[in-house]
Amino acid sequence: MSGTLTVNEIYLSLQGESTFAGLPCIFVRMTACNLRCSYCDTAYAFTEGTKTELGAILKEIEELASPYKNGRSPQKLPLVELTGGEPLLQRNSLPLMKNLCDQGYTVLIETSGALDISQVDARVRRIMDLKCPSSGEVARNRFENIQHLKSSDEVKFVIGTEEDYAWAKEQLVKYSLPRICPLLFSWVSPLKPEQQDKSLNEAPAGQTPISRLELVEKIIADALPVRFQLQMHKFIWSPEQKGV
């Protein structure tokens, strides 16, 4: 394959989120993002990265996946996820995902929901955010993406305040999201001081923080058809550790 991508890191770990949580996964973290969410825990990927040939990326993925070649899982493991940063800022992420699908991988992409998802290969599982108010980026949501979602995709709401929860509930009804695909309510893990990049938005004033217990209790009380999730990797490794 010809072309390059600017990549922050490639590593094998466990998928810590989504309906695939707990499965082995190769992460390809892209450099650059056009958003500055208040709770972002990967600000180092905004600028840090190396321009890498697509062929070299595929070779590294193949090497990391090689121990799983003789596995008997009904789906090919490990999974491969493109994340960031924002992978869709780089056009060559599209042919990379297509090639990985052609090779039989289950391919995931984590995307902010602020860019067009319609050009992503139909075989890719798109995990798309809808940015809640506390992110400071709610105005950047591209709601036109909703019409392109498939039943194999997932929509994620990252929730850190009571206002986020109320807003997310409204979107479920407004866009009939439960009829489209699985929905994720992800609690915001507070950033450690060393993770608080100066470029991030400040959360809007006057919002009321919500604990993970309070979030779960609200989901149950309101009988929401959503999956609550924590970032599993942050409970296994140190929350600020890279490459996990």
Side-chain angles (χ1 to χ4, degrees):
M1 291 185 71
S2 61
T4 63
L5 284 166
T6 304
V7 177
N8 178 270
E9 55 185 347
I10 302 175
Y11 59 93
L12 173 65
S13 185
L14 291 182
Q15 176 58 253
E17 304 181 72
S18 80
T19 60
F20 294 91
L23 290 175
C25 184
I26 295 170
F27 293 88
V28 182
R29 186 180 303 285
M30 304 296 187
T31 300
C33 188
N34 56 327
L35 303 185
R36 292 294 182 268
C37 299
S38 62
Y39 46 72
C40 180
D41 57 1
T42 53
Y44 58 88
F46 292 164
T47 57
E48 298 174 13
T50 303
K51 186 174 287 190
T52 309
E53 296 287 338
L54 294 183
I57 295 171
L58 290 167
K59 182 178 179 182
E60 186 165 355
I61 291 171
E62 183 178 355
E63 289 173 353
L64 289 170
S66 61
Y68 293 85
K69 283 186 176 178
N70 297 321
R72 298 182 180 273
S73 171
Q75 66 180 166
K76 183 176 180 179
L77 291 176
L79 311 169
V80 180
E81 176 174 293
L82 273 64
T83 186
E86 171 52 69
L88 294 180
L89 280 176
Q90 301 189 58
R91 294 292 300 174
N92 278 338
S93 64
L94 299 176
L96 175 63
M97 288 186 283
K98 181 182 184 302
N99 185 284
L100 289 167
C101 289
D102 290 344
Q103 293 186 46
Y105 288 102
T106 298
V107 181
L108 320 177
I109 182 172
E110 283 264 8
T111 181
S112 67
L115 298 174
D116 182 12
I117 66 169
S118 66
Q119 300 305 306
V120 175
D121 191 291
R123 295 168 291 179
V124 174
R125 312 295 185 95
R126 297 170 297 193
I127 303 167
M128 187 189 83
D129 279 21
L130 282 177
K131 297 299 184 184
C132 296
S134 75
S135 69
E137 297 285 13
V138 70
R140 305 288 290 279
N141 285 312
R142 184 185 172 92
F143 290 103
E144 297 91 335
N145 280 330
I146 292 174
Q147 65 183 311
H148 300 298
L149 292 169
K150 313 182 304 296
S151 61
S152 58
D153 296 324
E154 304 178 15
V155 172
K156 180 173 68 174
F157 296 88
V158 179
I159 296 174
T161 66
E162 292 185 4
E163 290 76 12
D164 286 349
Y165 179 79
W167 184 87
K169 277 180 58 180
E170 291 176 4
Q171 309 319 304
L172 263 61
V173 174
K174 182 176 181 179
Y175 295 101
S176 301
L177 293 175
R179 297 182 181 181
I180 300 175
C181 64
L183 306 173
L184 311 170
F185 274 27
S186 183
W187 181 69
V188 174
S189 298
L191 297 178
K192 290 194 171 184
E194 57 269 29
Q195 295 176 290
Q196 294 172 345
D197 190 87
K198 292 180 180 179
S199 70
L200 299 182
N201 294 324
E202 291 188 7
Q207 296 200 7
T208 304
I210 191 170
S211 71
R212 56 195 179 199
L213 174 58
E214 290 168 335
L215 177 53
V216 169
E217 288 176 339
K218 284 180 176 291
I219 290 171
I220 293 172
D222 292 338
L224 296 188
V226 304
R227 179 188 297 261
F228 171 78
Q229 68 170 21
L230 296 169
Q231 293 173 296
M232 183 186 296
H233 48 287
K234 292 186 177 180
F235 291 84
I236 300 172
W237 295 280
S238 172
E240 69 275 12
Q241 187 168 333
K242 298 181 183 179
V244 295

